[in-house]
């Protein structure tokens, strides 16, 4: 469960929700099969396809020190029609 960090909600990912595609930021070490198995078990859904990419690094500056943001992998998960993942709780 530590491999999936959080769901991504941007303008593009909201448009992908109409196609039954969900986007998550995951650990860079995790593989597609690990994430697929975890999502299928945890959310009780059927995954059709997995796409992944690693976004470019962004510079961060704190005073005179220049560093980089933490690296992560972004996964786009396509679900079978009829399945969905609740991104927000109703609380």
């Amino acid at each position: 469960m530590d491999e999936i960090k959080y769901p991504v909600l941007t303008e593009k990912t909201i448009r992908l929700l109409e196609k039954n595609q969900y986007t998550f930021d995951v650990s860079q070490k995790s593989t597609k099969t690990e994430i697929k198995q975890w999502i299928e078990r945890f959310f009780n859904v059927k995954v059709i396809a997995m796409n992944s990419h690693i976004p470019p690094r962004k510079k961060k500056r704190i005073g005179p020190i220049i560093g980089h943001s933490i690296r992560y992998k972004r996964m786009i998960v396509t679900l079978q029609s009829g399945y969905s993942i609740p991104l927000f709780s109703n609380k």
Side-chain angles (χ1 to χ4, degrees), residues 60-67:
K60 287 195 172 192
R61 182 183 188 107
I62 301 174
I65 300 170
I66 297 176

Side-chain angles (χ1 to χ4, degrees), residues 9-52:
L9 292 174
T10 61
E11 290 180 16
K12 181 180 178 179
T13 59
I14 291 172
R15 278 183 283 153
L16 290 176
L17 290 175
E18 296 171 0
K19 299 178 183 177
N20 213 16
Q21 294 180 332
Y22 295 84
T23 307
F24 297 96
D25 283 346
V26 298
S27 170
Q28 196 171 6
K29 298 175 191 173
S30 57
T31 63
K32 287 183 180 182
T33 54
E34 290 174 350
I35 299 300
K36 179 181 177 182
Q37 291 172 355
W38 189 88
I39 288 176
E40 286 181 342
R41 280 193 215 133
F42 188 75
F43 293 113
N44 199 19
V45 294
K46 180 68 177 160
V47 176
I48 294 175
M50 302 278 295
N51 296 329
S52 67

Side-chain angles (χ1 to χ4, degrees), residues 2 5-6 11-12 16 19 30 34 37 40 53-54 56 70 73 78 81:
D2 294 332
K5 297 180 186 289
Y6 46 85
E11 290 180 16
K12 181 180 178 179
L16 290 176
K19 299 178 183 177
S30 57
E34 290 174 350
Q37 291 172 355
E40 286 181 342
H53 72 280
I54 300 172
I70 298 172
K73 188 186 291 187
T78 306
S81 61

Side-chain angles (χ1 to χ4, degrees), residues 72-85:
Y72 58 90
K73 188 186 291 187
R74 186 161 284 173
M75 296 287 237
I76 300 173
V77 179
T78 306
L79 300 181
Q80 193 174 32
S81 61
Y83 290 101
S84 65
I85 295 175

